[in-house]
Amino acid sequence: MGKKIRLIDRLRLGFAVLVAKSVTFVVRSLRLGAASVLPGSIARRIEPRILELLSQQVKNGVILIAGTNGKTTTALLLCTILERNGYRIAHNSTGANLENGLMTALIENTNLVGALNVDYAILEVDENIVPKVLQPLQPRIILCLNLFRDQLDRYGEVDSISKRWTKVISTLPLETVVIPNADDPTLSYLGQQLPQKVLFFGMNEPEHYLEAIPHAVDSIYCPSCGHSLDYQGVYLSHLGDFTCPKCGFSKSKPTLESSQWSQILVGLYNKYNTLAAVTAAQELGVDQAIIQDTINNFQAAFGRAEDLVINGKRVRILLSKNPVGTNETIRVVTQSTDKTTLLVLNDRTPDGTDVSWIWDVDTEKLVERGGTLVVSGDRVYDMALRLRYSEKSAQSHLNLIVESDLRQAIATALKHTPDNETLHILPTYSAMLEVREVLTGRKIL
């Protein structure tokens, strides 16, 4: 934290940053995009150690946030809490969470010669690159949110990711603080194996248990011995209160009493995001009144339970990119009285090219309530077929509209949304960016 850099490294770093900032200026001036990745990629070619050299200058340390779901929302909440406490923050707010995106976010906060003047760097990191960036970043705090199946064509199963995480985190300095999700068996076990200081976050509110374990569940087997876990109850997917009847492994005790904290936004998954950020903020000594007031006034990150008003009608965008996340957004939709929903399914690189995961989604719950479902995206017919298979009878009350043109699909969905209701849009990641561009006229990336 705040280490001095050798002169030769300073010169190379300064040149790399100057070139990167020039690229940013050109890209944004010509409106070619947000320049959230390319500057870092170019700077890295000039100075391969740029991530390490920049992170060394962060005065109070790097806070790394990793997991399948919730990274952007948790990072934004923690960033907002710390900023309200008077700290200067570097943050990859566009959601560019691969190596070049992290570099670009840090470069954005330097001067022309590469001097970085921030108190904290809050970096959300793609779960697959965590082992690559931990050593150069040397984070002060690591938040481990959850591990779900996501883009199997890229990542594989969750146990392989957790093993890589455990191996590399255990080599970090003992003063590193690791904050895993106690309700996730894989991460709870990970925290129990580490030599560093570990603080757990999780739920202790049985009234929020699901009626049954969803069939899209991932990790219901003991990460220690492989035996099936006994669940007292689950909150979402495999997150819940559990013990292993064979070896005695059980859920770690959360640092916070979850019932004492309100939550940001809608959906139980955002209670987890809240608890993760609060645990980190308290570890950093932030006053509880500031934390609670920030929660009460929090505004959603783009596409994450984000509310917009379009042509006088309310629109809510709920990012839905894997089975667990989509089941939770469907739960939000079905708990409302609104009857129009737009689902947009893409299969591009940011989404994962394997869309077979939609068959693990509980779309039956969405179809059973009837109303109007509009589907669009690159894989519009895959989604339409999934919804048709979700109908229990030919006499269902579902009005299914298939529209491959996204702009027309949005217009159609808005037309079917009464003035006193909200249009819920459930897009995958690249689809979410397109939806927002259509609705707001502005690109994010």
Side-chain angles (χ1 to χ4, degrees):
M1 294 184 286
K3 295 181 181 179
K4 290 186 177 180
I5 301 176
R6 296 183 309 165
L7 178 59
I8 184 64
D9 291 331
R10 173 70 71 185
L11 292 174
R12 287 175 61 91
L13 175 62
F15 180 61
V17 166
L18 182 61
V19 172
K21 285 185 173 291
S22 300
V23 170
T24 299
F25 176 77
V26 171
V27 170
R28 292 179 180 173
S29 297
L30 297 178
R31 297 186 178 182
L32 300 175
S36 60
V37 175
L38 182 60
S41 177
I42 293 174
R44 184 184 186 184
R45 290 179 177 272
I46 299 171
E47 173 48 84
R49 293 177 58 233
I50 189 167
L51 192 59
E52 176 184 351
L53 295 175
L54 289 176
S55 61
Q56 286 176 359
Q57 299 182 59
V58 180
K59 291 181 180 179
N60 297 331
V62 172
I63 301 170
L64 186 149
I65 300 176
T68 308
N69 294 340
K71 295 185 292 293
T72 298
T73 300
T74 304
L76 180 58
L77 175 57
L78 183 56
C79 181
T80 306
I81 291 171
L82 294 179
E83 286 179 336
R84 293 195 61 193
N85 206 55
Y87 292 112
R88 296 182 302 275
I89 310 295
H91 172 215
N92 53 334
S93 57
T94 64
N97 56 24
L98 299 178
E99 290 171 275
N100 293 334
L102 306 183
M103 297 168 194
T104 301
L106 294 176
I107 291 170
E108 185 83 17
N109 290 273
T110 67
N111 61 19
L112 292 176
V113 294
L116 184 63
N117 184 24
V118 296
D119 298 300
Y120 292 100
I122 298 178
L123 302 175
E124 60 167 286
V125 178
D126 182 280
E127 58 266 38
N128 205 39
I129 70 160
V130 167
K132 297 181 181 179
V133 301
L134 281 184
Q135 287 301 328
L137 287 177
Q138 291 289 301
R140 174 176 174 176
I141 292 178
I142 304 172
L143 275 167
C144 304
L145 301 183
N146 46 61
L147 284 175
F148 302 123
R149 278 177 296 159
D150 186 54
Q151 302 186 36
L152 291 177
D153 53 310
R154 292 176 58 204
Y155 297 158
E157 294 291 349
V158 296
D159 58 345
S160 62
I161 297 175
S162 67
K163 288 176 182 177
R164 295 198 300 270
W165 281 18
T166 304
K167 181 178 180 180
V168 69
I169 292 175
S170 63
T171 66
L172 294 175
L174 294 180
E175 56 266 27
T176 305
V177 179
V178 184
I179 305 178
N181 189 335
D183 294 358
D184 187 320
T186 303
L187 295 181
S188 194
Y189 182 74
L190 177 151
Q192 293 176 15
Q193 308 308 304
L194 296 175
Q196 288 87 0
K197 179 179 180 179
V198 178
L199 304 172
F200 292 94
F201 71 93
M203 295 281 291
N204 38 32
E205 301 175 60
E207 64 271 22
H208 292 306
Y209 284 159
L210 294 175
E211 294 180 0
I213 296 178
H215 84 271
V217 70
D218 292 319
S219 302
I220 57 174
Y221 295 96
C222 177
S224 177
C225 71
H227 194 276
S228 179
L229 292 170
D230 282 345
Y231 274 88
Q232 181 180 344
V234 295
Y235 296 106
L236 66 91
S237 185
H238 59 270
L239 306 188
D241 298 322
F242 53 83
T243 57
C244 177
K246 183 177 181 181
C247 71
F249 165 72
S250 63
K251 169 181 171 175
S252 305
K253 182 176 176 56
T255 303
L256 304 177
E257 181 70 34
S258 65
S259 61
Q260 296 178 359
W261 292 91
S262 57
Q263 72 174 71
I264 55 171
L265 310 176
V266 295
L268 192 62
Y269 54 94
N270 276 314
K271 185 64 176 278
Y272 279 107
N273 297 336
T274 305
L275 294 171
V278 170
T279 304
Q282 288 199 332
E283 171 64 17
L284 295 172
V286 180
D287 184 74
Q288 182 169 327
I290 292 178
I291 298 174
Q292 190 62 66
D293 188 62
T294 305
I295 292 171
N296 294 339
N297 295 282
F298 183 74
Q299 298 294 316
F302 59 90
R304 280 79 171 178
E306 180 183 18
D307 291 323
L308 303 171
V309 176
I310 306 297
N311 298 331
K313 295 187 177 182
R314 297 189 301 274
V315 176
R316 174 171 289 168
I317 305 174
L318 299 164
L319 178 65
S320 305
K321 63 188 182 73
N322 53 40
V324 172
T326 306
N327 279 341
E328 287 305 301
T329 57
I330 287 176
R331 184 165 21 158
V332 170
V333 173
T334 55
Q335 288 175 347
S336 74
T337 57
D338 306 308
K339 295 295 186 179
T340 306
T341 305
L342 169 61
L343 299 99
V344 191
L345 177 66
N346 283 356
D347 61 350
R348 303 174 195 178
T349 300
D351 312 292
T353 56
D354 181 355
V355 298
S356 62
W357 61 268
I358 64 174
W359 294 92
D360 286 329
V361 175
D362 297 329
T363 50
E364 288 78 9
K365 295 179 180 179
L366 194 59
V367 169
E368 284 171 11
R369 69 198 300 263
T372 298
L373 295 183
V374 183
V375 292
S376 190
D378 300 340
R379 301 296 290 267
V380 58
Y381 298 108
D382 295 76
M383 180 56 75
L385 181 64
R386 175 69 185 101
L387 294 174
R388 281 300 184 199
Y389 267 93
S390 302
E391 293 181 275
K392 292 184 177 180
S393 71
Q395 287 75 40
S396 71
H397 300 289
L398 174 66
N399 177 26
L400 179 62
I401 300 174
V402 179
E403 177 53 69
S404 57
D405 182 88
L406 179 59
R407 190 174 294 273
Q408 184 58 46
I410 293 173
T412 300
L414 284 169
K415 181 180 178 181
H416 281 80
T417 304
D419 291 338
N420 62 339
E421 293 189 7
T422 297
L423 168 61
H424 290 90
I425 303 181
L426 278 56
T428 55
Y429 187 79
S430 70
M432 179 268 290
L433 299 179
E434 291 183 307
V435 166
R436 287 195 86 264
E437 184 180 357
V438 171
L439 292 176
T440 67
R442 299 191 304 273
K443 287 185 177 182
I444 298 174
L445 299 176

